[in-house]
Amino acid sequence: MLRGIRIIFRKELVDTLRDRKTLIFMLLMPTLAVPLLMLGLNHLIHSIKEKQAVKVVRIAADQQTHQAYRRLVHQWFLQTKVAAGLRLARSPVLQALLRPETSQALGQIPEAIFRDPAAYERWTRATVSQFREEADLEAKPSPGPIVELSDEVRQQLVDYYRVTVRGLALLEFVDPANLAPAPRDFDAEVIPQQLRALPYAAEAAAAIKAKLIQGYLAIPTDLLGLEQDHNQTAEITFLYDSTMAQSAEAWQRISFVTDRAADNLVRDRLALAGLGDEFLEPVVLKEGTDLATESEFVMSRVGGVLPYIIIIFAFLGGMYPAIDLGAGEKERNTLETLILSPASRTQIAVGKFLVILTTALIAALMGVVSIAVSFKYIIAPDEFVSGLDFHISPGTAVLIALLSIPPAAAFSGMFLAISIYARSFKEAQNYIAPLQFVVILPAMAAIIPDLEMNWRMAMIPLVNVSVLSKDFLKGDIHWDYYAVTLASCLALAGLCIAYAVRQFQKEEVLFRS
Amino acid sequence: MIEIHELSKTYQDKKRGKIEALRKVSFTCRPGEVFGLLGPNGAGKTTALRIISTALRPTGGSGKVMGYDLTSQSARVRENIGFLSSNTGLYGRLTPREMLTYFGRLFRMEAPQIRERIAELAEIFQMGDFLDRACDKLSTGMRQKVNVARTVFHSPPVMVFDEPTTGLDVLTNRTIIQFIRQCREQQRTVLFSTHVMAEVQKLCDEVAIIHEGQMLFRGTVGEIQHRYGEDLDEAFAQMIEAAA
């Protein structure tokens, strides 16, 4: 019995592995596609972000608005800890964060600049070119180890960059009086009702739509005395178009500056009233009380994706070899010869099943590796999972391999049965294609947040794999559930193999064409 | 030795209803003899050969190959038969050597025995040049040689050929005919189906003519000619017309 299975397995495996088309389309392409897609997407997002971050944004603002806006920036700069933070620029910590030329520039700022808004602005403009190279501190921490840099200092630098550079130096102000009149066919309805009375609103709106400017800023007061008069609220208006990337960028810059300035003004008012920051924060929920490490947290999220990848890749990896080994053999008229050999139908079915299982497993593991590599080298250096230790230990690798067995077995059985039943390659493809949709749903079960493993769940093939992998990756390893999961998937595979053997014995299936 | 007794095969077709593909057909082929199964397309030749090779089960009657029963000892029957049809395919990504090795293993032959047999058959069928070329890259003639080699690889005492020469060129055709003669010389039992009368004349010691599943005639080529005249094609047509 076993000898026959081994002979068939060996031959079919060689035959399958020589099929370049299968190898390329089913194994190599998906494996390469994931990191390439991520790389492309990442690159695209970064390049857009970088370009936007260093682009000069044109904003219409009258003389008074212009002055008031500058005052906001300068006030923010003088009154926050940023000035102190910048003095830190001489420290080795900041030098690690910033490129040498930039940190040098920051280190050489004369103290006087901080007290003279005009001098400060001149200096800001002069350092813009260096910042352009830095592009975006958030997106691209400069090379070198970022060791002792505290979050506070880092945040200050980001604030500094966004307020002074993006919010001031990379801003060009245009007098709205110089804007061309709105064209006759311009629909003034696009301007919100409450802004129609604003001078030059129509001209500015038309210019924004025509991409001549990116926004229209209007500050009706000079903002002087705002910090002394507690009862005053200054209304700032900014007209923009959120569907235009550059205009949205302008909105972000302006709102960042005004938000920061407003924060400072609140502090001033509190100080004046003899109140501290506590006045605004009667209750504070302490941070850092989460027991889960950052890595665990991300794993619990990624854990939902991983079974999906395993299931989809196992599906793709098993599909074509299965079709080739059953329906393909019929189509090439080799099946009759095989069934006339002394090998029993069960040996043939099991031998073929094992080959499909092998390719499905290889595909699933390659999928996991490709995802892991993509995470580690493409996404992880980026900000949103930075600091995450995405490391697959040998133990985890074994667990993932173990998790791939149940779905791969279930698919291999199903595919074999379908493939032997089908008349031709094409017919088999037609039967298997809709199965993809049936499979995707249980594969996504792990994404449902509150789905917990229990005995009943462990008995549902594929859903159990999905839920179990999430637990496994979090470190909740229940071997009893794994055993039930494996058993349920193997039972499904067994049923399918039995069905395939029966098909093999049916004359109308073997000889229908 | 093939002994067939009142073999019948009926099956259900969704569109055409009950079909009697074979009705009580009986014949015996002996070692050292070539037995020809003649009949027009759809006569039931392939069905009969598939039952004898155990790919199909009979619905009536019985049969034995080398003394083994077709239904109860089908595994033993398969070990004693070499089956070849004109449309038998090859594994395109394997080489003839690999393919022969595969079937040798399935027939429980040992590695040294397999190697010897490949060398022997490569000599007989002049396959040396393409023994290690992928089957996909072979010409029709080469493929048929590989197929024949595969059929006789385990040296079966009984050979069953289902229209083995259909679609082959003259040279390959000749190789096959020579091969069938050789089988006879080696005292094998040869059963083959055809509708080419020239082949019948060249090869067959005995023939059975079947039409619509029924046996119309059984005897030697000489007996046909004696009864229906020299022209075998004409004799064949007359028999079919008489039955219709």
Side-chain angles (χ1 to χ4, degrees), chain A residues 484-508:
Chain A
V484 177
T485 299
L486 183 65
S488 93
C489 286
L490 285 181
L492 177 64
L495 278 177
C496 292
I497 295 172
Y499 176 80
V501 172
R502 262 194 55 197
Q503 297 303 310
F504 257 140
Q505 270 148 357
K506 280 192 181 165
E507 295 168 0
E508 66 269 26

PDB file of all heavy atoms in Angstrom, chain A residues 484-508:
ATOM      1  N   VAL A 484      -8.155  19.312  17.824  1.00  0.00           N
ATOM      2  CA  VAL A 484      -9.517  19.224  17.279  1.00  0.00           C
ATOM      3  C   VAL A 484      -9.572  19.876  15.896  1.00  0.00           C
ATOM      4  O   VAL A 484     -10.189  19.358  14.957  1.00  0.00           O
ATOM      5  CB  VAL A 484     -10.530  19.898  18.240  1.00  0.00           C
ATOM      6  CG1 VAL A 484     -11.921  19.871  17.646  1.00  0.00           C
ATOM      7  CG2 VAL A 484     -10.524  19.190  19.576  1.00  0.00           C
ATOM      8  N   THR A 485      -8.881  21.024  15.770  1.00  0.00           N
ATOM      9  CA  THR A 485      -8.854  21.727  14.491  1.00  0.00           C
ATOM     10  C   THR A 485      -8.254  20.848  13.398  1.00  0.00           C
ATOM     11  O   THR A 485      -8.821  20.689  12.316  1.00  0.00           O
ATOM     12  CB  THR A 485      -8.011  23.020  14.630  1.00  0.00           C
ATOM     13  OG1 THR A 485      -8.631  23.837  15.614  1.00  0.00           O
ATOM     14  CG2 THR A 485      -7.926  23.769  13.325  1.00  0.00           C
ATOM     15  N   LEU A 486      -7.116  20.260  13.725  1.00  0.00           N
ATOM     16  CA  LEU A 486      -6.439  19.391  12.758  1.00  0.00           C
ATOM     17  C   LEU A 486      -7.349  18.217  12.412  1.00  0.00           C
ATOM     18  O   LEU A 486      -7.534  17.877  11.238  1.00  0.00           O
ATOM     19  CB  LEU A 486      -5.110  18.898  13.342  1.00  0.00           C
ATOM     20  CG  LEU A 486      -4.257  18.040  12.419  1.00  0.00           C
ATOM     21  CD1 LEU A 486      -3.800  18.855  11.229  1.00  0.00           C
ATOM     22  CD2 LEU A 486      -3.042  17.488  13.153  1.00  0.00           C
ATOM     23  N   ALA A 487      -7.947  17.635  13.460  1.00  0.00           N
ATOM     24  CA  ALA A 487      -8.810  16.473  13.230  1.00  0.00           C
ATOM     25  C   ALA A 487      -9.983  16.849  12.333  1.00  0.00           C
ATOM     26  O   ALA A 487     -10.329  16.103  11.411  1.00  0.00           O
ATOM     27  CB  ALA A 487      -9.304  15.922  14.558  1.00  0.00           C
ATOM     28  N   SER A 488     -10.578  18.013  12.577  1.00  0.00           N
ATOM     29  CA  SER A 488     -11.759  18.372  11.783  1.00  0.00           C
ATOM     30  C   SER A 488     -11.371  18.616  10.330  1.00  0.00           C
ATOM     31  O   SER A 488     -12.081  18.225   9.412  1.00  0.00           O
ATOM     32  CB  SER A 488     -12.485  19.574  12.390  1.00  0.00           C
ATOM     33  OG  SER A 488     -12.044  20.768  11.824  1.00  0.00           O
ATOM     34  N   CYS A 489     -10.218  19.277  10.119  1.00  0.00           N
ATOM     35  CA  CYS A 489      -9.793  19.524   8.737  1.00  0.00           C
ATOM     36  C   CYS A 489      -9.372  18.228   8.050  1.00  0.00           C
ATOM     37  O   CYS A 489      -9.659  18.015   6.870  1.00  0.00           O
ATOM     38  CB  CYS A 489      -8.658  20.545   8.692  1.00  0.00           C
ATOM     39  SG  CYS A 489      -9.248  22.215   9.014  1.00  0.00           S
ATOM     40  N   LEU A 490      -8.699  17.353   8.805  1.00  0.00           N
ATOM     41  CA  LEU A 490      -8.292  16.077   8.216  1.00  0.00           C
ATOM     42  C   LEU A 490      -9.513  15.214   7.909  1.00  0.00           C
ATOM     43  O   LEU A 490      -9.542  14.499   6.909  1.00  0.00           O
ATOM     44  CB  LEU A 490      -7.340  15.325   9.155  1.00  0.00           C
ATOM     45  CG  LEU A 490      -5.911  15.861   9.220  1.00  0.00           C
ATOM     46  CD1 LEU A 490      -5.080  15.009  10.171  1.00  0.00           C
ATOM     47  CD2 LEU A 490      -5.257  15.874   7.844  1.00  0.00           C
ATOM     48  N   ALA A 491     -10.524  15.325   8.770  1.00  0.00           N
ATOM     49  CA  ALA A 491     -11.751  14.563   8.522  1.00  0.00           C
ATOM     50  C   ALA A 491     -12.385  15.030   7.215  1.00  0.00           C
ATOM     51  O   ALA A 491     -12.816  14.224   6.387  1.00  0.00           O
ATOM     52  CB  ALA A 491     -12.722  14.736   9.681  1.00  0.00           C
ATOM     53  N   LEU A 492     -12.397  16.353   7.031  1.00  0.00           N
ATOM     54  CA  LEU A 492     -12.947  16.898   5.786  1.00  0.00           C
ATOM     55  C   LEU A 492     -12.133  16.385   4.599  1.00  0.00           C
ATOM     56  O   LEU A 492     -12.687  15.943   3.586  1.00  0.00           O
ATOM     57  CB  LEU A 492     -12.920  18.434   5.828  1.00  0.00           C
ATOM     58  CG  LEU A 492     -13.392  19.142   4.571  1.00  0.00           C
ATOM     59  CD1 LEU A 492     -14.855  18.848   4.293  1.00  0.00           C
ATOM     60  CD2 LEU A 492     -13.191  20.650   4.690  1.00  0.00           C
ATOM     61  N   ALA A 493     -10.801  16.441   4.763  1.00  0.00           N
ATOM     62  CA  ALA A 493      -9.925  15.963   3.691  1.00  0.00           C
ATOM     63  C   ALA A 493     -10.177  14.483   3.436  1.00  0.00           C
ATOM     64  O   ALA A 493     -10.279  14.055   2.280  1.00  0.00           O
ATOM     65  CB  ALA A 493      -8.467  16.189   4.066  1.00  0.00           C
ATOM     66  N   GLY A 494     -10.326  13.711   4.516  1.00  0.00           N
ATOM     67  CA  GLY A 494     -10.565  12.273   4.391  1.00  0.00           C
ATOM     68  C   GLY A 494     -11.839  11.988   3.621  1.00  0.00           C
ATOM     69  O   GLY A 494     -11.873  11.154   2.716  1.00  0.00           O
ATOM     70  N   LEU A 495     -12.901  12.734   3.962  1.00  0.00           N
ATOM     71  CA  LEU A 495     -14.172  12.567   3.253  1.00  0.00           C
ATOM     72  C   LEU A 495     -13.986  12.846   1.769  1.00  0.00           C
ATOM     73  O   LEU A 495     -14.491  12.130   0.908  1.00  0.00           O
ATOM     74  CB  LEU A 495     -15.216  13.540   3.823  1.00  0.00           C
ATOM     75  CG  LEU A 495     -15.924  13.098   5.096  1.00  0.00           C
ATOM     76  CD1 LEU A 495     -16.876  14.186   5.572  1.00  0.00           C
ATOM     77  CD2 LEU A 495     -16.704  11.805   4.831  1.00  0.00           C
ATOM     78  N   CYS A 496     -13.230  13.933   1.503  1.00  0.00           N
ATOM     79  CA  CYS A 496     -13.023  14.307   0.105  1.00  0.00           C
ATOM     80  C   CYS A 496     -12.208  13.247  -0.624  1.00  0.00           C
ATOM     81  O   CYS A 496     -12.480  12.935  -1.785  1.00  0.00           O
ATOM     82  CB  CYS A 496     -12.323  15.656   0.005  1.00  0.00           C
ATOM     83  SG  CYS A 496     -13.359  16.996   0.563  1.00  0.00           S
ATOM     84  N   ILE A 497     -11.203  12.681   0.058  1.00  0.00           N
ATOM     85  CA  ILE A 497     -10.393  11.635  -0.592  1.00  0.00           C
ATOM     86  C   ILE A 497     -11.273  10.418  -0.872  1.00  0.00           C
ATOM     87  O   ILE A 497     -11.213   9.831  -1.957  1.00  0.00           O
ATOM     88  CB  ILE A 497      -9.190  11.242   0.294  1.00  0.00           C
ATOM     89  CG1 ILE A 497      -8.240  12.426   0.440  1.00  0.00           C
ATOM     90  CG2 ILE A 497      -8.434  10.064  -0.310  1.00  0.00           C
ATOM     91  CD1 ILE A 497      -7.128  12.200   1.432  1.00  0.00           C
ATOM     92  N   ALA A 498     -12.114  10.076   0.114  1.00  0.00           N
ATOM     93  CA  ALA A 498     -13.011   8.931  -0.080  1.00  0.00           C
ATOM     94  C   ALA A 498     -13.913   9.189  -1.285  1.00  0.00           C
ATOM     95  O   ALA A 498     -14.135   8.302  -2.120  1.00  0.00           O
ATOM     96  CB  ALA A 498     -13.843   8.708   1.171  1.00  0.00           C
ATOM     97  N   TYR A 499     -14.393  10.422  -1.373  1.00  0.00           N
ATOM     98  CA  TYR A 499     -15.237  10.785  -2.504  1.00  0.00           C
ATOM     99  C   TYR A 499     -14.448  10.650  -3.809  1.00  0.00           C
ATOM    100  O   TYR A 499     -14.932  10.113  -4.805  1.00  0.00           O
ATOM    101  CB  TYR A 499     -15.741  12.216  -2.321  1.00  0.00           C
ATOM    102  CG  TYR A 499     -16.556  12.738  -3.474  1.00  0.00           C
ATOM    103  CD1 TYR A 499     -17.901  12.392  -3.612  1.00  0.00           C
ATOM    104  CD2 TYR A 499     -15.979  13.569  -4.423  1.00  0.00           C
ATOM    105  CE1 TYR A 499     -18.642  12.865  -4.672  1.00  0.00           C
ATOM    106  CE2 TYR A 499     -16.717  14.052  -5.488  1.00  0.00           C
ATOM    107  CZ  TYR A 499     -18.056  13.693  -5.613  1.00  0.00           C
ATOM    108  OH  TYR A 499     -18.777  14.167  -6.667  1.00  0.00           O
ATOM    109  N   ALA A 500     -13.187  11.132  -3.770  1.00  0.00           N
ATOM    110  CA  ALA A 500     -12.342  11.060  -4.964  1.00  0.00           C
ATOM    111  C   ALA A 500     -12.120   9.612  -5.375  1.00  0.00           C
ATOM    112  O   ALA A 500     -12.188   9.269  -6.559  1.00  0.00           O
ATOM    113  CB  ALA A 500     -11.010  11.748  -4.703  1.00  0.00           C
ATOM    114  N   VAL A 501     -11.892   8.723  -4.378  1.00  0.00           N
ATOM    115  CA  VAL A 501     -11.685   7.307  -4.693  1.00  0.00           C
ATOM    116  C   VAL A 501     -12.942   6.743  -5.347  1.00  0.00           C
ATOM    117  O   VAL A 501     -12.882   6.006  -6.333  1.00  0.00           O
ATOM    118  CB  VAL A 501     -11.321   6.516  -3.416  1.00  0.00           C
ATOM    119  CG1 VAL A 501     -11.302   5.026  -3.700  1.00  0.00           C
ATOM    120  CG2 VAL A 501      -9.975   6.969  -2.882  1.00  0.00           C
ATOM    121  N   ARG A 502     -14.090   7.140  -4.809  1.00  0.00           N
ATOM    122  CA  ARG A 502     -15.346   6.659  -5.401  1.00  0.00           C
ATOM    123  C   ARG A 502     -15.490   7.145  -6.837  1.00  0.00           C
ATOM    124  O   ARG A 502     -15.933   6.411  -7.715  1.00  0.00           O
ATOM    125  CB  ARG A 502     -16.539   7.135  -4.572  1.00  0.00           C
ATOM    126  CG  ARG A 502     -17.015   6.075  -3.620  1.00  0.00           C
ATOM    127  CD  ARG A 502     -18.371   6.397  -3.042  1.00  0.00           C
ATOM    128  NE  ARG A 502     -19.391   6.639  -4.050  1.00  0.00           N
ATOM    129  CZ  ARG A 502     -20.550   7.242  -3.803  1.00  0.00           C
ATOM    130  NH1 ARG A 502     -20.818   7.656  -2.598  1.00  0.00           N
ATOM    131  NH2 ARG A 502     -21.436   7.426  -4.752  1.00  0.00           N
ATOM    132  N   GLN A 503     -15.108   8.397  -7.051  1.00  0.00           N
ATOM    133  CA  GLN A 503     -15.180   8.931  -8.426  1.00  0.00           C
ATOM    134  C   GLN A 503     -14.273   8.123  -9.346  1.00  0.00           C
ATOM    135  O   GLN A 503     -14.602   7.860 -10.488  1.00  0.00           O
ATOM    136  CB  GLN A 503     -14.753  10.406  -8.463  1.00  0.00           C
ATOM    137  CG  GLN A 503     -15.636  11.337  -7.665  1.00  0.00           C
ATOM    138  CD  GLN A 503     -17.076  11.273  -8.113  1.00  0.00           C
ATOM    139  OE1 GLN A 503     -17.377  11.365  -9.294  1.00  0.00           O
ATOM    140  NE2 GLN A 503     -17.970  11.060  -7.160  1.00  0.00           N
ATOM    141  N   PHE A 504     -13.122   7.734  -8.787  1.00  0.00           N
ATOM    142  CA  PHE A 504     -12.147   6.971  -9.560  1.00  0.00           C
ATOM    143  C   PHE A 504     -12.718   5.616  -9.983  1.00  0.00           C
ATOM    144  O   PHE A 504     -12.257   5.004 -10.932  1.00  0.00           O
ATOM    145  CB  PHE A 504     -10.900   6.706  -8.700  1.00  0.00           C
ATOM    146  CG  PHE A 504      -9.749   7.584  -9.043  1.00  0.00           C
ATOM    147  CD1 PHE A 504      -8.943   8.123  -8.063  1.00  0.00           C
ATOM    148  CD2 PHE A 504      -9.446   7.867 -10.368  1.00  0.00           C
ATOM    149  CE1 PHE A 504      -7.871   8.925  -8.374  1.00  0.00           C
ATOM    150  CE2 PHE A 504      -8.380   8.661 -10.689  1.00  0.00           C
ATOM    151  CZ  PHE A 504      -7.596   9.195  -9.690  1.00  0.00           C
ATOM    152  N   GLN A 505     -13.674   5.139  -9.184  1.00  0.00           N
ATOM    153  CA  GLN A 505     -14.223   3.826  -9.494  1.00  0.00           C
ATOM    154  C   GLN A 505     -15.424   3.919 -10.425  1.00  0.00           C
ATOM    155  O   GLN A 505     -15.882   2.914 -10.941  1.00  0.00           O
ATOM    156  CB  GLN A 505     -14.612   3.115  -8.194  1.00  0.00           C
ATOM    157  CG  GLN A 505     -13.433   2.313  -7.664  1.00  0.00           C
ATOM    158  CD  GLN A 505     -13.409   2.233  -6.170  1.00  0.00           C
ATOM    159  OE1 GLN A 505     -14.251   2.818  -5.493  1.00  0.00           O
ATOM    160  NE2 GLN A 505     -12.438   1.533  -5.627  1.00  0.00           N
ATOM    161  N   LYS A 506     -15.913   5.142 -10.611  1.00  0.00           N
ATOM    162  CA  LYS A 506     -17.110   5.280 -11.439  1.00  0.00           C
ATOM    163  C   LYS A 506     -16.727   5.348 -12.904  1.00  0.00           C
ATOM    164  O   LYS A 506     -15.971   6.232 -13.315  1.00  0.00           O
ATOM    165  CB  LYS A 506     -17.857   6.565 -11.049  1.00  0.00           C
ATOM    166  CG  LYS A 506     -18.696   6.422  -9.812  1.00  0.00           C
ATOM    167  CD  LYS A 506     -19.581   7.626  -9.698  1.00  0.00           C
ATOM    168  CE  LYS A 506     -20.434   7.574  -8.461  1.00  0.00           C
ATOM    169  NZ  LYS A 506     -21.006   8.882  -8.176  1.00  0.00           N
ATOM    170  N   GLU A 507     -17.276   4.452 -13.673  1.00  0.00           N
ATOM    171  CA  GLU A 507     -16.945   4.411 -15.093  1.00  0.00           C
ATOM    172  C   GLU A 507     -17.359   5.688 -15.807  1.00  0.00           C
ATOM    173  O   GLU A 507     -16.644   6.200 -16.659  1.00  0.00           O
ATOM    174  CB  GLU A 507     -17.639   3.211 -15.741  1.00  0.00           C
ATOM    175  CG  GLU A 507     -17.098   1.910 -15.194  1.00  0.00           C
ATOM    176  CD  GLU A 507     -17.938   0.712 -15.589  1.00  0.00           C
ATOM    177  OE1 GLU A 507     -18.948   0.893 -16.299  1.00  0.00           O
ATOM    178  OE2 GLU A 507     -17.567  -0.395 -15.191  1.00  0.00           O
ATOM    179  N   GLU A 508     -18.542   6.189 -15.414  1.00  0.00           N
ATOM    180  CA  GLU A 508     -19.040   7.360 -16.150  1.00  0.00           C
ATOM    181  C   GLU A 508     -18.178   8.592 -15.868  1.00  0.00           C
ATOM    182  O   GLU A 508     -18.119   9.510 -16.673  1.00  0.00           O
ATOM    183  CB  GLU A 508     -20.517   7.634 -15.850  1.00  0.00           C
ATOM    184  CG  GLU A 508     -20.839   8.053 -14.426  1.00  0.00           C
ATOM    185  CD  GLU A 508     -21.174   6.860 -13.534  1.00  0.00           C
ATOM    186  OE1 GLU A 508     -20.705   5.753 -13.836  1.00  0.00           O
ATOM    187  OE2 GLU A 508     -21.894   7.067 -12.539  1.00  0.00           O
TER     188      GLU A 508
END
